[in-house]
Amino acid sequence: MVSFPKRIVVVGTTGSGKSTLARNLSKALGLPLIECDDLLWNDDWVESSFEEVRARVTHALQGASDGWVYAGNLGPKYIDIVGPNTDMVIWLNYPWLTGFWRLLKRSIRRIISKEPLFGTNCVETWSKLFSWDSILRWYIASFGKLQRRYQEFLVERRSLHLKTDVQILILTKPAEADELVKAAIKRE
């Protein structure tokens, strides 16, 4: 059985289900949810500056000092803030096709629903989906890089920013994420 600590980070490629798993764990464990994308993006798809992101991440972690579930990749802008405070990292290490299919379905759903993202006016559109800045193109370009980064950080333990006793869970299929949430619900 998994022991759930108070500070959990869920990482993975774009569209892997980081936010969904983190939201479900947050609810099951009674911990606040911190969504990296909410801290990173401003209106009209404008990315926050280095300083803004660091300040927002710091503020979010301080506001949840008793624990949190953090959804988002540990990018160079803030890994030194989040990493040392993390007790568990869950890596959604799914196959390429699984992630691409999930991302495509999510994007189409968001286009149809016109669901605003990240607490901003950012919405996905058909033209954006098939543009040079497409989330699908980003997925194709970034998948291998993120896989290598997490292989180094989590498996080979090359990150200077994670505690030596951090728990690492590597999930290789969505059913494992579902089982993890069930374990979190049943933990008591």
Side-chain angles (χ1 to χ4, degrees), residues 10-142:
V10 181
V11 299
T13 59
T14 301
S16 60
K18 297 180 296 292
S19 295
T20 300
L21 177 58
R23 186 177 322 106
N24 291 339
L25 287 175
S26 167
K27 188 175 180 180
L29 298 170
L31 295 171
L33 174 64
I34 299 172
E35 293 238 28
C36 177
D37 283 340
D38 289 348
L39 307 174
L40 183 62
W41 294 102
N42 296 307
D43 286 346
D44 300 319
W45 295 101
V46 175
E47 191 172 343
S48 299
S49 71
F50 180 83
E51 294 79 16
E52 285 175 316
V53 172
R54 291 182 65 79
R56 289 175 182 176
V57 169
T58 299
H59 182 3
L61 295 180
Q62 288 172 345
S65 60
D66 290 335
W68 35 259
V69 180
Y70 179 95
N73 288 311
L74 296 172
K77 290 183 180 179
Y78 40 80
I79 188 171
D80 62 316
I81 301 169
V82 179
N85 294 297
T86 299
D87 300 317
M88 174 187 276
V89 178
I90 303 168
W91 177 19
L92 303 182
N93 185 18
Y94 299 156
W96 188 92
L97 193 56
T98 299
F100 187 83
W101 178 243
R102 292 179 109 181
L103 182 61
L104 180 61
K105 288 191 307 184
R106 181 188 81 181
S107 296
I108 292 170
R109 179 180 45 81
R110 286 178 172 174
I111 289 168
I112 291 168
S113 72
K114 298 185 184 344
E115 171 187 339
L117 307 174
F118 325 126
T120 68
N121 71 349
C122 298
V123 292
E124 293 191 43
T125 63
W126 290 111
S127 60
K128 185 139 184 83
L129 185 63
F130 296 108
S131 74
W132 187 251
D133 293 329
S134 169
I135 191 79
L136 299 177
R137 184 177 177 284
W138 168 253
Y139 179 82
I140 293 166
S142 68

